[in-house]
Amino acid sequence: MLSERRLQVLRAIVQDYVGTEEPVGSKALTERHSLGVSPATVRNDMAALEEEGYIAQPHTSAGRIPTDKGYRLFVDKLAGVKPMSPPERRAIQNFLEGAVDLDDVVARTVRLLAQLTRQVAVVQYPSLTRSTVRHVELLALAPARVMLVLITDTGRVEQRMVDCPAPFGEASLADLRARLNSRVAGRRFTDVPTLVEDLPEAFEADDRGTVSTVLSTLLETLVEENEERLMIGGTANLTRFGHDFPLTIRPVLEALEEQVVLLKLLGEAKDPGVTVRIGHENAHEGLNSTSVVSVGYGSGGEAVAKLGVVGPTRMDYPGTMGAVRAVARYVGQILAES
Amino acid sequence: MLSERRLQVLRAIVQDYVGTEEPVGSKALTERHSLGVSPATVRNDMAALEEEGYIAQPHTSAGRIPTDKGYRLFVDKLAGVKPMSPPERRAIQNFLEGAVDLDDVVARTVRLLAQLTRQVAVVQYPSLTRSTVRHVELLALAPARVMLVLITDTGRVEQRMVDCPAPFGEASLADLRARLNSRVAGRRFTDVPTLVEDLPEAFEADDRGTVSTVLSTLLETLVEENEERLMIGGTANLTRFGHDFPLTIRPVLEALEEQVVLLKLLGEAKDPGVTVRIGHENAHEGLNSTSVVSVGYGSGGEAVAKLGVVGPTRMDYPGTMGAVRAVARYVGQILAES
DNA sequence: CCTGGCACTCTGCGCGTGCGAGTGCCAGAC
DNA sequence: GTCTGGCACTCGCACGCGCAGAGTGCCAGG
């Protein structure tokens, strides 16, 4: 177990390194933080911390920098979440309030997060599977061609073309529309399959094929995971990354374009609060020198999607976590209102 | 006027510089291209070209590199568009064919362009103003609340909430829906305003307010220019940009995030064929060291949107132009089919 | 008008050096 | 036992130097 002072030393190292981007030595530490001990003592503590794997030196006779393990300890034990100041909160609210539709909410959220944290922001669109149906609309585009439009409680709209096995009358269509909506409107997506199971039986034999086709298209739409879209922004902040550009930045940009990777990344975080994944804790190796701070957000009490930021492991964790949490909270409010 | 040989020298300089990324000298030129003259002669030609502003030297006693003006001449007079090879064409077609909806078409196009050109790809969603209406749907979500759904011939769907000044019966709604569609379905967006002008008069006094509200929301949706969305991809290719990273890449990333800037950029290109804007020809100064190659594409013969790539001024213009043109052609085909 | 030759000018690179920051260890003080 | 001051040591980095190589401009002659 590390003594209290050694933890303080670690905290000081993390803070200084995050601030200066340079390896921090024992002398500088004692000067900037009132630890009440001499550099020599700090050196001993540093040796111990290095032994345990919390810090490392880039090369002999240079200062120390935190390892992933060191950041992990810092985040878990040594630092809390820094709350946003009232003016900041007001700014967030103002910025989000002008949004006109879902796309706009997401776009504004991305910009806001990127500005606030000066890092790359990632916002997942409210997920279909966890939200509820507001309305299902069916439009006859041709005798045997129907457009299915699904509207969710978060304002998202999905549409699909359905080619019917047989022509389908306007009356039958209206009937199906009415029955469908009376059953699923206001219900959660996960409940829909069982709710519509026996619907084809209510129709005449001629129409059953078409009804089944429409229903299965609807169910497909509900589960289709590639529809878990997301928006990213603030990539210009990557240029503040470090000194050795091309090598660091390239894999990150590549990873950011692989939406699948990002979705998996956000999906892995099960914690109800703010989740931090540091360096090699990220499965994707392009993100091995980055940390991901994420949190769920939702229109009600429940999380329907995630948002977060991607930045260098050397980041201001308390501030970033505070910003991410605050933005998630206000986005939730906005979604609940609309 | 420049002699034929001097133009050949310029062409050779551009080709070599694009290939090697290094200033090209007179000796190397005569070795790699059979110009039939000695280095000394080439030097004289170079001096003349420099005098005219087509090439420049980064510092005394280094080779020459083309200026923006030099690239311009190269693109206009010295090089054509390099057509794609048959295998490449087939690959493009295969890649685009699997798309399931409009989002997917656009996403695939972006990936494809980025891979093909190894640069940053930008694809504008088919623009509303130039396409036609397939269907307008009205849904009563509450007595005085209507959802307006607009479906375009390119498969795009826009929805808007409308708060009515007075409750609106289901019968009136159906009436409006029918009248509206019979007038605008299949018509161009630009024609819609005059087509619906007198619609309110067909309704009873009680409903006229609501009808007008719905119509004006529809018209707003049609012209709303911020709905000109676009998708970008291949930003990782920026890392191949040059040696002096942070300074070059940062403004480009920033410009790419300003969708307004990009839309303006694409919009400016009026040429019916492939348009190339080189370096300082781009209004936005973040893009002063990049070239933009763009072209319109559309489902019919007519262009409904633009797509293109952003890359360093030192790029393979013939190849890039060929790729951009080919992709636009096939995307047009795909859109026409669906 | 082209060519070969020549003198000149830079940049980039490899090398050695000195400086400074930082470390590890040890003996002594509290 | 724990902390402290002192000391020798180790590197990395910035600096200055010189050299080679590539490229140029110019000139006189074919």
Side-chain angles (χ1 to χ4, degrees):
Chain A
M1 187 49 201
L2 292 167
S3 77
E4 182 57 30
R5 197 191 56 231
R6 291 196 174 154
L7 292 176
Q8 274 188 34
V9 169
L10 177 57
R11 177 194 285 131
I13 291 174
V14 171
Q15 287 170 349
D16 273 25
Y17 183 60
V18 166
T20 63
E21 301 195 29
E22 268 164 23
V24 14
S26 54
K27 192 164 156 232
L29 258 199
T30 53
E31 279 168 7
R32 272 212 283 255
H33 302 76
S34 32
L35 294 171
V37 292
S38 80
T41 311
V42 171
R43 279 204 287 282
N44 287 328
D45 292 343
M46 281 174 150
L49 286 168
E50 182 163 15
E51 179 76 17
E52 304 273 347
Y54 293 110
I55 56 180
Q57 33 189 351
H59 41 255
T60 330
S61 107
R64 305 305 215 291
I65 61 176
T67 60
D68 290 353
K69 190 178 171 189
Y71 285 123
R72 169 52 59 202
L73 185 61
F74 176 80
V75 169
D76 289 347
K77 300 275 155 66
L78 301 177
V81 177
K82 186 169 143 219
M84 298 275 95
S85 69
E88 283 172 318
R89 294 176 169 277
R90 237 170 294 134
I92 293 175
Q93 217 161 359
N94 285 341
F95 193 82
L96 291 179
E97 222 143 49
V100 300
D101 64 9
L102 183 65
D103 269 333
D104 200 22
V105 171
V106 174
R108 280 168 185 254
T109 307
V110 165
R111 290 183 87 97
L112 182 63
L113 253 186
Q115 273 182 27
L116 234 42
T117 62
R118 308 207 49 182
Q119 277 151 201
V120 179
V122 181
V123 179
Q124 185 183 5
Y125 276 71
S127 154
L128 288 184
T129 49
R130 286 186 212 154
S131 31
T132 62
V133 178
R134 182 180 281 164
H135 186 87
V136 177
E137 184 58 30
L138 302 173
L139 312 172
L141 297 181
R145 198 137 197 242
V146 170
M147 171 171 269
L148 170 75
V149 181
L150 171 72
I151 302 161
T152 79
D153 63 334
T154 49
R156 188 157 157 190
V157 179
E158 287 294 322
Q159 95 280 6
R160 283 287 182 289
M161 254 1 141
V162 186
D163 283 312
C164 311
F168 198 55
E170 185 61 49
S172 307
L173 192 70
D175 190 20
L176 177 57
R177 184 191 297 132
R179 286 173 188 270
L180 201 51
N181 276 296
S182 72
R183 295 200 185 193
V184 303
R187 310 302 295 261
R188 306 178 102 253
F189 282 24
T190 43
D191 301 335
V192 170
T194 53
L195 288 167
V196 301
E197 215 168 19
D198 58 342
L199 251 187
E201 294 161 24
F203 288 79
E204 293 182 14
D206 286 353
D207 288 340
R208 275 187 207 153
T210 297
V211 171
S212 301
T213 312
V214 170
L215 290 181
S216 60
T217 307
L218 174 61
L219 298 186
E220 265 171 38
T221 310
L222 294 179
V223 297
E224 202 140 88
E225 73 151 8
N226 75 351
E227 286 304 328
E228 301 231 323
R229 284 196 302 153
L230 40 78
M231 188 174 270
I232 71 176
T235 46
N237 290 326
L238 285 177
T239 54
R240 304 184 310 114
F241 220 84
H243 326 280
D244 51 346
F245 260 75
L247 300 168
T248 335
I249 206 179
R250 162 140 228 187
V252 178
L253 276 172
E254 278 168 357
L256 289 176
E257 294 213 345
E258 292 289 337
Q259 306 223 332
V260 189
V261 171
L262 281 180
L263 285 168
K264 232 171 80 187
L265 208 67
L266 292 176
E268 277 171 3
K270 296 296 180 200
D271 198 305
V274 178
T275 303
V276 181
R277 318 206 102 226
I278 299 165
H280 292 79
E281 294 170 12
N282 293 304
H284 190 81
E285 63 175 312
L287 299 175
N288 275 348
S289 57
T290 66
S291 287
V292 180
V293 177
S294 63
V295 68
Y297 72 93
S299 54
E302 202 165 2
V304 296
K306 303 265 174 71
L307 58 77
V309 307
V310 178
T313 50
R314 168 188 40 70
M315 71 161 71
D316 168 20
Y317 289 96
T320 304
M321 291 166 77
V324 167
R325 193 178 62 182
V327 169
R329 204 169 284 166
Y330 286 110
V331 175
Q333 278 183 20
I334 298 285
L335 286 181
E337 284 166 16
S338 63
Chain B
M1 188 47 200
L2 291 165
S3 77
E4 182 58 30
R5 196 190 57 231
R6 291 199 174 153
L7 293 177
Q8 273 188 36
V9 169
L10 176 56
R11 176 194 285 132
I13 291 174
V14 171
Q15 286 170 350
D16 274 25
Y17 183 60
V18 166
T20 64
E21 300 194 28
E22 267 163 25
V24 14
S26 55
K27 193 167 156 229
L29 257 199
T30 52
E31 279 167 7
R32 273 213 282 257
H33 303 75
S34 32
L35 294 169
V37 292
S38 79
T41 311
V42 171
R43 280 204 286 281
N44 288 328
D45 292 344
M46 282 173 150
L49 286 167
E50 182 163 14
E51 179 75 17
E52 303 274 345
Y54 293 110
I55 56 178
Q57 34 189 350
H59 41 255
T60 331
S61 107
R64 306 304 216 292
I65 62 176
T67 60
D68 290 353
K69 189 178 171 190
Y71 285 123
R72 167 55 57 202
L73 185 61
F74 176 80
V75 168
D76 289 346
K77 300 275 157 63
L78 301 177
V81 177
K82 185 170 143 216
M84 298 273 96
S85 68
E88 283 171 319
R89 293 176 170 278
R90 238 170 292 133
I92 293 175
Q93 215 160 0
N94 285 341
F95 193 83
L96 291 179
E97 222 142 50
V100 300
D101 64 9
L102 183 65
D103 268 334
D104 200 22
V105 172
V106 175
R108 279 167 187 256
T109 307
V110 166
R111 291 182 87 98
L112 183 63
L113 253 187
Q115 274 181 27
L116 234 41
T117 62
R118 308 207 49 181
Q119 277 153 201
V120 179
V122 181
V123 178
Q124 186 183 4
Y125 276 71
S127 154
L128 288 184
T129 49
R130 286 187 212 153
S131 32
T132 63
V133 177
R134 181 180 283 163
H135 186 87
V136 177
E137 184 58 30
L138 302 173
L139 312 173
L141 298 181
R145 198 140 199 240
V146 171
M147 171 170 267
L148 170 75
V149 181
L150 171 72
I151 302 161
T152 79
D153 64 333
T154 49
R156 187 157 157 190
V157 179
E158 287 293 322
Q159 94 282 5
R160 283 287 183 289
M161 254 0 142
V162 186
D163 283 313
C164 311
F168 198 55
E170 184 62 49
S172 306
L173 192 69
D175 189 20
L176 177 57
R177 184 190 298 133
R179 287 173 188 270
L180 201 50
N181 276 296
S182 73
R183 294 200 185 194
V184 304
R187 309 304 294 263
R188 306 179 102 255
F189 281 25
T190 43
D191 301 335
V192 171
T194 53
L195 288 168
V196 301
E197 216 168 18
D198 59 342
L199 249 189
E201 295 162 23
F203 287 79
E204 295 183 13
D206 286 353
D207 288 339
R208 275 185 208 154
T210 297
V211 171
S212 301
T213 311
V214 170
L215 290 180
S216 60
T217 307
L218 174 61
L219 298 186
E220 265 171 38
T221 310
L222 294 179
V223 297
E224 201 138 90
E225 75 152 7
N226 75 350
E227 286 303 327
E228 301 231 325
R229 285 196 301 153
L230 40 78
M231 189 175 267
I232 72 176
T235 48
N237 290 326
L238 286 176
T239 54
R240 303 183 310 112
F241 221 84
H243 327 279
D244 50 346
F245 260 77
L247 299 168
T248 335
I249 206 178
R250 161 140 228 187
V252 179
L253 276 172
E254 277 168 358
L256 289 176
E257 293 213 345
E258 293 290 338
Q259 307 223 330
V260 189
V261 171
L262 282 179
L263 284 168
K264 231 170 80 187
L265 207 66
L266 292 176
E268 276 170 4
K270 297 295 179 200
D271 198 304
V274 178
T275 304
V276 181
R277 316 206 104 226
I278 298 166
H280 291 80
E281 294 171 12
N282 293 305
H284 190 80
E285 63 175 312
L287 298 174
N288 276 349
S289 57
T290 66
S291 287
V292 180
V293 177
S294 63
V295 69
Y297 71 94
S299 54
E302 202 165 1
V304 296
K306 302 265 174 70
L307 58 77
V309 307
V310 178
T313 50
R314 167 188 40 69
M315 70 161 73
D316 168 19
Y317 289 95
T320 305
M321 292 167 77
V324 167
R325 192 179 62 182
V327 170
R329 203 168 284 167
Y330 286 110
V331 175
Q333 278 183 21
I334 299 285
L335 287 180
E337 284 165 17
S338 64

